[in-house]
Amino acid sequence: MTAVDARPATATHDAAGLRFPTAFRWGTATAAYQIEGGATEGGRTPSIWDTFSRTPGKVRNGDTGDTAADHLHRMPDDVRLMKELGVTDYRFSVSWPRVQPTGRGPAVERGLDFYRRLVDELLAAGIRPVATLYHWDLPQELEDAGGWPERDTAHRFAEYAGLVAGALGDRVTTWTTLNEPWCAAFLGYGNGVHAPGRTSDLAALRAAHHLNLAHGAGARVLRDRLPATAEISLTLNLHALRPLTDTEADRDAVRRIDAVANRIFLEPVFHGRLPQDLVEDTAAVTDWSFVRDGDLEVTSTPVDSLGINYYSPSVVSAGRSESPSPWAGAEEHVAFTPAPGPRTAMDWPVDANGLHELLTRLRDELPDLPLLVTENGAAYDDYADPEGRVHDPERVAYLEAHLTAVHRAIADGVDVRGYFLWSLLDNFEWAYGYSKRFGIVHVDFASQRRTAKDSARWYAEVIARGGLERG
């Protein structure tokens, strides 16, 4: 029996507002390369993002994560910020090249020591640590050997998972194998806008399978190394898809994208099979012979919960996508139309209904699986005013709408156990460098000064009362 077997009480309404279950997990989240800095300290070697960010033209303004938010050196202060917010959980990722610099062999204890100290600080602050093993920072040496399109990378990941579990498993009770394998596979190897910047439909499909295999193999290692009460999870950025019109052509466009965006992970992981329509759609790219006997048994290793990352929906129609495309096998048949409504600084539409749609879909497809919203948030053009305050009413409105959608989903019978706001800190936002700010804590990157935004104070109040006030 795991720690997530007992279903919590449902969400409620009262005169004051929307109340979440008593045991609801109120969290925030970050990723190692985006905040840690210390890129060459303690034996750490380059990841694919170190290499990619140094490649001219790949990251806005030539920014890198060398310093980022300097969390490596400011971690105790950042934990104190979390304690002041009142969060119950903190979702962080472990830097693979900080722990196992070449992706092979023994761990570097200095690297593990940082995460030991982080976990100790969190526990002392009464915050539950939630460890993500992979948030896109593949050791460059493994990419040089072929990266995720190569089968061996999945085996290397399982070895690395065992090293981290051995160091932290006595204190960390919630583990996530991979964060957003769709992005790692299709943005990294399909259209090349993320590291390592390769553009190949075949490489993207191979990478997706080997990421699924890494998840399953890693989950088996975790199950073997961790106490029976440990919670093992996977986090997916499932796409909320809507047809532009109710025509058969547009509905088929949604089917194609659902196969390569969602079901390419959901079906191997939870049903031990490949989507047959995906195999047919991609027949001109591959015969899928890289999927070997026994692979799907590994990919479908049981997990205790599923993390969902959501930011905005997508509107899909028949057409043709720009090249290079992340939509392997679908780019000749599918186009995307901007969804209506207000937009964030990322030019992403704001539509909380998409989160409710995803959560209720998963209730229907995986009715016995607890869910966590492991990322949700928005970038806006924040700045400190002359008094040093950072007002971000648009972010507050975004978060309130999406938490309302989560509450509605729980009331509709979805077993949502927690919400992790993205992100705690302004950080290195991948190919956007430091030009986009998702944090509820403002970071002046020149001085590394932290300033709680209005949204941080708002979130602290939500946590303190266990829900939302009525408008």
Side-chain angles (χ1 to χ4, degrees), residues 28-30 89-93 130 132 179 235 309 374-375 420:
T28 187
T30 64
D89 292 63
Y90 172 53
R91 178 175 175 256
F92 64 94
S93 78
V130 178
T132 298
N179 177 80
T235 284
N309 294 354
T374 39
E375 286 185 26
F420 291 74

Side-chain angles (χ1 to χ4, degrees), residues 325-363:
S325 162
W327 310 108
E331 53 265 87
E332 299 289 329
H333 307 276
V334 173
F336 290 81
T337 299
R343 311 187 85 74
T344 71
M346 300 288 288
D347 199 32
W348 296 347
V350 178
D351 188 338
N353 289 326
L355 178 55
H356 182 267
E357 292 164 14
L358 282 179
L359 294 173
T360 52
R361 169 184 175 169
L362 291 168
R363 174 203 61 197

